[in-house]
Amino acid sequence: MRYFILFVTLSLFALGECDDNADKLAASYPQVSHCHNNRIVFTDGTTMLYDDGKRKSFEELLDNADIEDMFSMHYPRGKSSYAPPAKDFDPGRIRNEAFMKKIYGSTSYQTQAKLTTIPFVHGKRIQITTTNGVDKKLQAVGRELEMLPQKYHKYFAQIGGTYYWRPIAGTNRLSSHSFGIAIDINVKYSAYWLWSKGAYRYQNQIPPAIVEIFEKHGFIWGGKWYHYDTMHFEYRPELLR
């Protein structure tokens, strides 16, 4: 019996436990009640495993992230955060798809039912989710962007896209655009790591002033990724707490 108890104890320890990052989820998403016994408890009574206790390679983090893995890379802010990222440093690219589906909808039909069309910059109208007031937050972003000096406006004069239910190219993982929480700004002034020719080289034209407005309202920026996507912003408030 003592060996059985020891085995169970070690197994629970290996699986991990609730931590401060789990608290950030509860503070960021009204659908999350709390974390208990290594499970995220939702307000509807359902639960999800928080930490599977597995050590993962970078590719495994992308393909098989648990909820705890979403916090495995700290999203940086401040002046130093605009330096070229270290290899495979992609804070925010690691997503637990089951969690995202729980919050925003598990099918295209469910996510589309939560969309609304909002006014954005320069009279443009875009689709975004109403879940947790993301639409209101993006409208606030738009108002602040329009107040920037004119030299910044070319970066968002055109919008590359918002809602689109689709997998990320070359993968089976859903894009964050599928959940109506992402926006791509002007592609003309943006860079994407797969577009670079020859050896890898970090590239970016998006000014920090634009990034900081998005971050203020809960959106992270793909320009802080090693696998950079500088047009891309997505609503991930838990990473900005």
Side-chain angles (χ1 to χ4, degrees):
M1 176 62 74
R2 74 176 64 178
Y3 296 111
F4 175 75
I5 294 173
L6 178 61
F7 173 77
V8 171
T9 302
L10 290 174
S11 297
L12 289 173
F13 179 78
L15 282 175
E17 57 186 22
C18 301
D19 57 17
D20 291 343
N21 288 327
D23 294 337
K24 292 177 183 178
L25 290 174
S28 300
Y29 298 98
Q31 297 87 345
V32 176
S33 173
H34 61 284
C35 184
H36 180 68
N37 287 342
N38 195 32
R39 297 194 71 84
I40 296 297
V41 181
F42 294 91
T43 54
D44 64 3
T46 60
T47 69
M48 286 185 185
L49 181 69
Y50 178 61
D51 181 4
D52 62 16
K54 297 177 181 178
R55 291 190 176 185
K56 298 166 187 168
S57 67
F58 176 70
E59 291 300 328
E60 288 170 336
L61 284 170
L62 290 176
D63 290 335
N64 298 296
D66 60 30
I67 297 174
E68 186 267 344
D69 288 331
M70 297 197 298
F71 297 94
S72 59
M73 300 179 191
H74 176 72
Y75 182 84
R77 300 181 74 176
K79 291 182 179 180
S80 63
S81 68
Y82 296 97
K87 182 173 172 56
D88 291 342
F89 182 72
D90 289 352
R93 273 190 81 213
I94 297 165
R95 310 175 187 94
N96 178 269
E97 193 166 295
F99 179 84
M100 304 299 281
K101 286 181 173 180
K102 179 69 176 179
I103 300 298
Y104 298 107
S106 60
T107 66
S108 60
Y109 177 80
Q110 289 179 355
T111 56
Q112 288 173 27
K114 299 177 182 180
L115 294 177
T116 191
T117 300
I118 63 169
F120 198 53
V121 292
H122 300 303
K124 293 177 178 59
R125 299 184 68 80
I126 58 175
Q127 282 192 311
I128 201 76
T129 187
T130 58
T131 302
N132 299 341
V134 176
D135 57 322
K136 302 294 191 299
K137 295 176 175 68
L138 192 55
Q139 285 185 72
V141 168
R143 288 192 293 269
E144 292 193 35
L145 290 177
E146 288 188 320
M147 293 174 64
L148 288 173
Q150 193 62 37
K151 67 179 182 179
Y152 292 102
H153 287 221
K154 66 181 182 181
Y155 298 103
F156 45 83
Q158 300 296 327
I159 300 301
T162 54
Y163 173 77
Y164 184 18
W165 182 273
R166 62 173 176 82
I168 298 169
T171 78
N172 293 319
R173 304 190 307 272
L174 282 174
S175 163
S176 58
H177 288 276
S178 302
F179 303 109
I181 61 171
I183 181 171
D184 292 342
I185 58 174
N186 199 342
V187 176
K188 182 178 179 180
Y189 297 100
S190 300
Y192 181 52
W193 71 282
L194 284 176
W195 295 346
S196 59
K197 298 178 181 179
Y200 171 91
R201 181 171 64 88
Y202 179 80
Q203 302 175 67
N204 173 51
Q205 297 183 62
I206 307 301
I210 291 174
V211 176
E212 288 160 12
I213 289 173
F214 274 97
E215 290 177 341
K216 174 183 175 182
H217 295 282
F219 293 81
I220 63 168
W221 178 47
K224 293 185 177 179
W225 300 340
Y226 175 81
H227 299 91
Y228 56 88
D229 186 357
T230 68
M231 72 193 84
H232 180 85
F233 294 87
E234 68 179 84
Y235 185 70
R236 297 290 298 283
E238 75 279 14
L239 300 182
L240 293 166
R241 290 186 175 273

